[in-house]
Amino acid sequence: MSLQDELTAVRRCLDDLVRTVGRLEQSLAQLPEDRYGPRSADRVDLVTIPDTPYDSTLWTDSDDEGLGVRDHRAP
């Protein structure tokens, strides 16, 4: 397959993708608003994460994922 053929195939796939996304957007626009909440571009649910350190008792009796059990030697 030549470079020109590959570029033509890529353009065709990209056109298909653009058409598919357009159909998806139209389908989403027809969904009832109350089913998934208001359709608002400015609706953002933000969660504030504090800068203070976590309470170290949260990690009591926990394992270090991928590192094994705390205070034990690896096999």
Side-chain angles (χ1 to χ4, degrees):
M1 182 179 261
S2 71
L3 179 61
Q4 187 63 34
D5 292 338
E6 289 180 16
L7 288 174
T8 302
V10 168
R11 285 188 188 115
R12 197 171 352 173
C13 290
L14 186 57
D15 290 341
D16 288 343
L17 178 62
V18 169
R19 279 192 299 275
T20 302
V21 169
R23 286 194 307 264
L24 178 61
E25 288 174 336
Q26 289 174 354
S27 296
L28 290 174
Q30 295 172 1
L31 288 176
E33 191 171 307
D34 60 347
R35 183 173 178 186
Y36 296 103
R39 277 186 245 127
S40 173
D42 59 352
R43 179 180 170 218
V44 178
D45 297 329
L46 297 177
V47 175
T48 303
I49 301 174
D51 290 332
T52 57
Y54 288 108
D55 182 6
S56 61
T57 59
L58 291 172
W59 317 122
T60 303
D61 296 329
S62 66
D63 294 340
D64 291 326
E65 185 175 331
L67 300 176
V69 180
R70 194 175 291 167
D71 299 329
H72 287 77
R73 292 187 62 208

